[in-house]
Amino acid sequence: MLASTANQNPVTRRSAIIGFSLGTLFFGYAFIQRVAPSIMTNELMRDFAVGGTALGSLSAFYFYAYASIQLPVGILTDRYGPRKLMSFAAALCAIASLGFALSDSLITASIGRGFIGATVAFAFVGTLAIAGHWFKPAQYAMLAGILQTVGMTGAIFGQAPLRYVVESVGWRGIMGLLAMIALALSVLLFMLVPQRSQAQRKVEARSGVLDGVRLAASNPQTWLCALIGFGLASIMLGFGALWAVPWLNTVHGYSTTEAAGIASMLFVGWAVFSPLMGWMSDRMGRRNPIMILGSIICLITFAVIIFITPTNTAILMTLIFITGLGGSTMTICFSSVKEHNSLDCSSTALSLMNMCVVGSGAVMQPLIGGLLDWNWDGTVIDGVRVYSAVTYTIALSSLLVVTAGALIGTLLLRETRCKQVG
């Protein structure tokens, strides 16, 4: 049995697993929402009559809201627990998704997209809180890896499979369907996620509301973890979650569905290796070496992808998959930031780091779109701006800069040796 810290409200292993599984499903759903615009780019640009900068900003409203609300999410989760927060957030997400589906302007669509990002922001920290409450500490890195795997599975589904559905029911129909799924998740989370014991509530309410923020934010190691997270997630969120599909479509001649399938290999790499990286780190008793290697892999493979771009589809897919492998080492950073901070503010520290991880999407998606527009030669086909290969190469090179920043962060981060040092 996995019991709570008090004798009251014992939590069985089955209940803990069900609660964690529902949390991971919510996180997987969040990733479907996160990447969905990447397979709707032409439809959104046509319906709202916008270019790359505006489309990047529309997609990034998810990340703006998600990142900006991370601190409140961590504070609330430390004090009130994951069950009610995640259930209420999923219900609000259903409303926001419906609002996006019914949008008739870029402004209303952006607002809906922002509310979607704000509500699904509770999934990641809430699920890690479940892992911290009712599972052994030695299982934490592996559970964080499993959580990332389910998230990436959502991203994979949000690529080629979702594109097939878009071609049948349109992007508005897809958003309506996602609203219904969020509502169902809300009910299941409320009914099946275990409640914290009274003792757990008392332990997590000892510190003042701002004490956890002060402790986590004053720790330099927290910000090094945030730098690593930002850099290693940037290719996945800036490239895979939005610009990979139009790049493959317009520059390399793949159909939108084919491009979505190729781009999804980035998420497959993350999905396959995230839990393995966590397990390896726990087994080695080291955090940093794996993240250093992952940063180097990302730099090399992504440089080959954008500067050389193999014409052989299998080779290109393999390179994108390996880039996902390198990026998946970022999962270990969540264990590292938890170990560098006291348990009383662990959710807050996780939220600070996750704010920067998701912030990479908020920064890089519109930045890439802006660079595309800046170097655009004026070509328009069927009402959609078309960018040249050179323009894409310049824009996507920005991802190499921030990935290099992640490598520097891994070299400066203090090794925890898988022990609580905060």
Side-chain angles (χ1 to χ4, degrees):
M1 173 181 289
L2 299 176
S4 62
T5 55
N7 292 327
Q8 321 158 11
N9 300 337
V11 174
T12 64
R13 181 176 182 81
R14 180 174 177 272
S15 296
I17 291 173
I18 289 174
F20 180 78
S21 299
L22 284 172
T24 61
L25 285 176
F26 190 19
F27 186 58
Y29 170 87
F31 257 91
I32 294 175
Q33 290 276 20
R34 187 174 296 184
V35 306
S38 71
I39 48 90
M40 309 172 182
T41 53
N42 287 346
E43 290 84 356
L44 292 173
M45 291 174 80
R46 186 178 300 113
D47 285 4
F48 296 125
V50 297
T53 303
L55 178 63
S57 295
L58 168 62
S59 179
F61 260 83
Y62 172 107
F63 300 99
Y64 298 149
Y66 191 116
S68 63
I69 204 174
Q70 278 301 294
L71 266 181
V73 167
I75 293 168
L76 290 169
T77 302
D78 275 334
R79 293 183 67 82
Y80 300 111
R83 174 175 162 265
K84 292 180 180 178
L85 289 174
M86 287 200 296
S87 176
F88 182 62
L92 290 180
C93 183
I95 298 172
S97 299
L98 187 60
F100 187 88
L102 299 175
S103 298
D104 58 1
S105 71
L106 184 67
I107 294 175
T108 55
S110 298
I111 293 171
R113 178 80 173 152
F115 272 105
I116 290 170
T119 52
V120 299
F122 286 83
F124 184 76
V125 174
T127 307
L128 287 184
I130 292 172
H133 288 326
W134 297 300
F135 291 85
K136 297 176 182 178
Q139 299 173 319
Y140 192 85
M142 183 183 69
L143 291 171
I146 292 172
L147 180 58
Q148 287 289 345
T149 292
V150 177
M152 295 307 117
T153 302
I156 295 165
F157 179 81
Q159 295 282 303
L162 198 66
R163 177 63 199 178
Y164 281 115
V165 186
V166 168
E167 291 174 356
S168 299
V169 302
W171 70 269
R172 296 183 188 274
I174 283 294
M175 295 309 301
L177 178 61
L178 289 175
M180 295 172 61
I181 294 172
L183 188 61
L185 277 171
S186 174
V187 174
L188 292 172
L189 287 163
F190 186 80
M191 292 177 60
L192 298 175
V193 171
Q195 297 190 60
R196 296 178 305 160
S197 68
Q198 192 63 34
Q200 283 173 325
R201 295 172 191 171
K202 288 179 180 178
V203 167
E204 292 170 359
R206 283 175 188 166
S207 300
V209 170
L210 297 179
D211 287 348
V213 179
R214 178 181 56 79
L215 289 170
S218 62
N219 186 345
Q221 303 301 313
T222 299
W223 296 108
L224 284 174
C225 288
L227 174 64
I228 297 166
F230 185 101
L232 286 178
S234 65
I235 294 174
M236 183 255 290
L237 297 179
F239 178 68
L242 185 62
W243 292 112
V245 173
W247 173 67
L248 289 165
N249 179 221
T250 60
V251 175
H252 298 288
Y254 293 99
S255 70
T256 302
T257 302
E258 290 171 339
I262 295 169
S264 69
M265 294 307 296
L266 185 65
F267 303 108
V268 173
W270 274 75
V272 170
F273 288 100
S274 287
L276 181 60
M277 293 299 107
W279 177 83
M280 284 179 60
S281 177
D282 287 339
R283 191 68 180 262
M284 289 171 57
R286 301 284 299 276
R287 302 296 189 204
N288 295 10
I290 296 177
M291 291 189 289
I292 291 171
L293 180 60
S295 301
I296 294 171
I297 289 172
C298 280
L299 279 171
I300 295 172
T301 55
F302 194 66
V304 173
I305 288 167
I306 63 172
F307 290 122
I308 300 175
T309 317
T311 55
N312 183 289
T313 303
I315 294 175
L316 179 59
M317 292 176 74
T318 301
L319 283 170
I320 293 174
F321 175 80
I322 294 173
T323 304
L325 182 162
S328 73
T329 61
M330 185 273 289
T331 302
I332 298 169
C333 214
F334 287 109
S335 298
S336 186
V337 76
K338 176 178 176 288
E339 290 159 358
H340 276 298
N341 288 275
S342 69
L343 295 177
D344 285 344
C345 64
S346 60
S347 290
T348 303
L350 284 165
S351 293
L352 268 174
M353 180 188 157
N354 203 37
M355 177 177 68
C356 294
V357 169
V358 180
S360 67
V363 172
M364 300 311 297
Q365 286 192 357
L367 175 61
I368 292 169
L371 290 170
L372 289 171
D373 281 344
W374 182 268
N375 295 284
W376 177 48
D377 61 11
T379 303
V380 176
I381 298 177
D382 295 331
V384 178
R385 293 188 184 188
V386 177
Y387 305 102
S388 68
V390 173
T391 300
Y392 266 110
T393 300
I394 293 171
L396 295 175
S397 295
S398 61
L399 293 168
L400 292 173
V401 176
V402 293
T403 304
L407 176 58
I408 293 170
T410 62
L411 296 172
L412 296 176
L413 184 67
R414 187 161 43 114
E415 176 63 63
T416 66
R417 296 189 178 275
C418 303
K419 295 178 182 178
Q420 195 69 35
V421 297

